[in-house]
């Protein structure tokens, strides 16, 4: 019997269109498996791929969430082997060893395992994420409590131990980081309290308390992280910033570390930048069609300022980098001045702000303009001096991209005038403002369709949208029972036209600017969010968490 092809089964099940399949087959690398290429493009979920492979190969799939593992078997399969080949021992029956793996067709690994253990190997399919979580839980936990038991009280003499890579404290910090990367956390918070220290992870924009450390360990953990980030471990009265470049599970990870003195000791926050994450495709940022057209039209103009606004962690940098990547070719000179340089872009000249030696945004910008740039990216406009030089640059034939911290696109216009920039300079230089927020996506594996509640219908009706059904995640092992998995952006693209410029020049109010924006069919944050609820991508609660309903 011939085995049916994966693509054909996916099309038959309605998970894929023929065009998507053709496009993926053309674009994928030679040695890449079709399933991996489809996952990378976000066309199917891992759960859907596993269920299809089960049909194709006739090998059962297993969910590892809450699986009754036999801890003895973790001694049978060596840790390094399990981590390298992404497999987990499930159970043993006579001379058979049941193994969960991501690729049950990897006969070389199965043979290796048969020779190493002496058992007949029976493979089952499990998702990569499930396996990675299980490996972290059962192989890494030389258990957490054992590590805590090994830790002495820190004394001055033991500070040297904090750099010894075998010291328990070093293993503990590495384990916390490894778990954060596995769980796809964007930040790790070490929160000192009166009698304990909380370790919290921000996953998909929401903080979760992961574990609690005894108060006696606070000093050691803080000192270890400060040593890694090259910070002064003797100074705990002033805030400090540093960064760590490291490898976690064979991936290059960049960490930005910030320490802040609080009443109960120093609070540390580590922001995780996964350098292998692909951020540079503008079509994958979640722009709606109309917003996409407007944004592309604005960034392709030869001069003027385009601002991206939103709070910390709203994906502003990703949008800026994607725009620069779109504009980046050998005919243009792109220079950026950032604090800090988060991702390195090939073919772009990036400058790191260093206020200790007087290289501020404003000073960097002045020097950039002598370097004959076509496109300038300023990390953030946070004072009048930077705003003035950015405006001057845009008036002399440069395209300037930057970010600003405001609630929405209209507030960005008034914020520039609050900084002391003259209205006529704002209108002469500002092309567009993009406001952006990140919201969580409904998990595609446990998504259910439900009727909309009367309150939801009322919210939608106010914005002139009809809604009968919505999608919600009921919670599964893939999304840690939250019902959400991954994030997407919602946008508001405000294009500054002549009528708006007249209002700004005569010091008009934000309400007047808003009326013109409404007349120009601007899609506001709330509208973009609600349209994504209607498409079944997210929930009303998520949209209202980040955008205000009037």
């Amino acid at each position: 019997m011939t085995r049916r092809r994966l693509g054909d089964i996916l099309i038959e099940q309605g998970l894929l269109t023929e065009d998507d399949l053709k496009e993926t087959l053309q674009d994928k690398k030679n040695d890449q498996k079709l399933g991996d290429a489809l996952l990378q493009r976000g066309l199917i979920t891992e759960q859907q791929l596993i269920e299809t492979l089960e049909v194709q190969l006739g090998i059962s799939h297993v969910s590892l969430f809450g699986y009754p593992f036999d801890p003895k078997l973790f001694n049978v399969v060596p840790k390094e082997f399990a981590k390298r080949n992404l497999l987990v021992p499930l159970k043993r029956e006579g001379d058979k060893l049941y193994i969960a793996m991501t690729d049950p067709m990897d006969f070389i690994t199965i043979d290796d395992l048969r020779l190493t253990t002496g058992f007949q190997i029976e493979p089952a399919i499990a998702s990569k994420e499930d396996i990675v979580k299980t490996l972290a839980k059962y192989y890494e936990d030389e258990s957490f409590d054992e590590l805590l038991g090994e830790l002495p009280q820190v004394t001055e003499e033991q500070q040297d131990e904090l750099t010894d890579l075998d010291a328990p404290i070093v293993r503990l910090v590495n384990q916390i980081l490894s778990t954060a990367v596995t769980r796809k956390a964007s930040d790790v918070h070490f929160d000192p309290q009166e009698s304990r220290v909380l370790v919290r992870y921000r996953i998909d924009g929401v903080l979760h308390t992961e574990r609690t450390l005894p108060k006696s360990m606070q000093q050691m953990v803080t000192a270890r992280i400060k040593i890694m980030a090259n910070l002064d471990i003797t100074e705990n009265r002033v805030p400090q910033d540093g960064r760590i470049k490291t490898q976690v599970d064979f991936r290059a990870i960049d960490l930005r570390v910030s320490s802040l003195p609080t009443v109960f000791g120093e609070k540390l926050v580590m922001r995780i930048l996964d350098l292998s994450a692909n951020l540079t495709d503008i079509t994958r940022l979640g722009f709606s069609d109309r917003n996409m057209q407007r944004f592309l039209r604005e960034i392709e103009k030869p001069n003027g300022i385009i601002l991206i606004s939103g709070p910390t962690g709203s994906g502003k940098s990703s949008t800026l980098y994607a725009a620069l990547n779109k504009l980046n070719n050998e005919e243009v000179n792109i220079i950026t001045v950032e604090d800090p340089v988060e991702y390195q872009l090939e073919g772009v000249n990036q400058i790191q702000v260093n206020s200790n030696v007087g290289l501020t945004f404003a000073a960097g910008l002045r020097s950039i303009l002598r370097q004959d740039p076509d496109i300038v990216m300023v990390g953030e406009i946070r004072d009048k001096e930077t705003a003035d030089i950015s405006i001057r640059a845009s008036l002399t034939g440069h395209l300037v991209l930057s970010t600003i911290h405001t609630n929405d696109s209209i507030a960005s216009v008034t914020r520039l005038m609050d900084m002391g920039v003259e209205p006529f300079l704002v209108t002469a230089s500002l092309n567009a403002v993009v406001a952006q927020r990140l919201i969580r996506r409904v998990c595609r594996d446990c998504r259910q369709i439900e009727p909309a509640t009367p309150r939801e219908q009322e919210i939608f009706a106010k914005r002139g949208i009809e809604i009968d059904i919505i999608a919600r995640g009921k919670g599964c092992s893939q999304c840690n029972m939250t019902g959400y998995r991954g994030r997407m952006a919602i946008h508001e693209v405000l294009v500054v036209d002549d009528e708006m410029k007249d209002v700004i020049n005569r010091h008009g109010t934000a309400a007047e600017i808003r009326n013109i924006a409404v007349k120009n069919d601007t899609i506001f944050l709330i509208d973009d969010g609600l349209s994504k609820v209607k498409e079944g991508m997210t929930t009303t609660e998520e949209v209202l968490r980040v955008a205000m309903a009037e």
Side-chain angles (χ1 to χ4, degrees), residues 405-447:
H405 281 257
T406 55
N407 283 335
D408 59 26
S409 53
I410 295 165
S412 305
V413 179
T414 48
R415 173 92 178 88
L416 285 172
M417 294 190 281
D418 288 346
M419 281 181 188
V421 178
E422 292 293 340
F424 70 89
L425 285 174
V426 173
T427 54
S429 59
L430 192 61
N431 290 353
V433 184
V434 179
Q436 171 169 327
R437 296 287 188 284
L438 289 180
I439 53 175
R440 293 185 289 172
R441 280 176 184 273
V442 169
C443 172
R444 282 159 68 177
D445 292 323
C446 59
R447 180 171 177 269

Side-chain angles (χ1 to χ4, degrees), residues 192-376:
Q193 315 239 306
E194 191 168 5
S195 57
R196 58 195 180 147
V197 179
L198 297 182
V199 179
R200 302 198 290 167
Y201 292 161
R202 190 180 289 283
I203 300 168
D204 287 342
V206 180
L207 278 168
H208 304 272
T209 300
E210 179 68 17
R211 49 177 58 146
T212 310
L213 304 178
K215 187 73 176 170
S216 58
M217 287 180 56
Q218 180 179 327
Q219 213 180 334
M220 294 180 76
V221 171
T222 305
R224 171 62 194 155
I225 293 168
K226 286 170 98 175
I227 285 169
M228 289 169 78
N230 281 331
L231 300 180
D232 181 356
I233 62 170
T234 59
E235 178 57 84
N236 54 16
R237 296 159 305 172
V238 295
Q240 297 185 63
D241 289 305
R243 59 193 309 176
I244 303 169
K245 271 201 156 130
T246 183
Q247 288 255 339
V248 176
D249 297 335
F250 314 110
R251 278 157 71 189
I253 301 289
D254 210 347
L255 301 161
R256 276 166 43 194
V257 181
S258 159
S259 80
L260 186 72
T262 68
V263 179
F264 298 122
E266 283 181 280
K267 173 177 164 72
L268 293 168
V269 177
M270 305 167 86
R271 174 169 263 195
I272 301 171
L273 302 171
D274 186 346
L275 301 178
S276 59
N278 179 22
L279 298 164
T280 46
D281 186 352
I282 205 162
T283 57
R284 294 176 68 176
L285 294 176
F287 276 103
S288 64
D289 292 343
R290 193 193 306 167
N291 278 343
M292 184 65 149
Q293 283 170 353
R294 287 181 174 179
F295 184 57
L296 288 176
R297 194 171 63 231
E298 293 306 316
I299 64 172
E300 280 160 6
K301 287 185 176 173
N303 58 329
I305 293 183
I306 293 157
L307 292 178
I308 298 182
S309 86
T312 310
S314 59
K316 299 188 296 294
S317 301
S318 302
T319 305
L320 272 182
Y321 282 125
L324 286 181
N325 205 49
K326 172 90 177 137
L327 298 168
N328 186 10
N329 61 50
E330 60 179 31
E331 293 166 10
V332 292
N333 176 18
I334 303 178
I335 306 183
T336 75
V337 52
E338 304 168 60
D339 180 25
V341 173
E342 291 187 15
Y343 296 96
Q344 273 115 28
L345 290 175
E346 205 173 321
V348 174
N349 310 289
Q350 293 169 283
I351 300 170
Q352 165 81 49
V353 166
N354 184 348
S355 44
N356 296 339
V357 295
L359 178 54
T360 59
F361 276 124
L365 250 174
R366 275 200 192 87
S367 312
I368 283 178
L369 296 179
R370 299 187 202 113
Q371 291 270 327
D372 178 35
D374 298 291
I375 298 162
V376 176

Side-chain angles (χ1 to χ4, degrees), residues 1 3-4 9 12-13 49-59 125:
M1 174 182 129
R3 203 167 76 219
R4 291 159 68 207
I9 301 174
E12 201 175 288
Q13 291 182 345
L49 175 64
I50 286 171
E51 284 163 13
T52 311
L53 284 172
E54 186 177 21
V55 172
Q56 187 199 18
L57 307 173
I59 294 175
I125 316 173

Side-chain angles (χ1 to χ4, degrees), residues 37-51:
L38 291 167
L39 285 178
Q40 198 176 331
R41 295 178 72 130
L43 294 170
I44 57 171
T45 69
E46 202 166 4
Q47 198 59 33
Q48 289 165 343
L49 175 64
I50 286 171
E51 284 163 13

Side-chain angles (χ1 to χ4, degrees), residues 77 87-91 97-101 113 121-125:
V77 179
L87 52 87
V88 173
L90 294 171
K91 60 180 179 181
L97 182 63
Y98 288 80
I99 296 281
M101 51 200 302
L113 198 56
I121 304 300
E122 290 287 331
I125 316 173

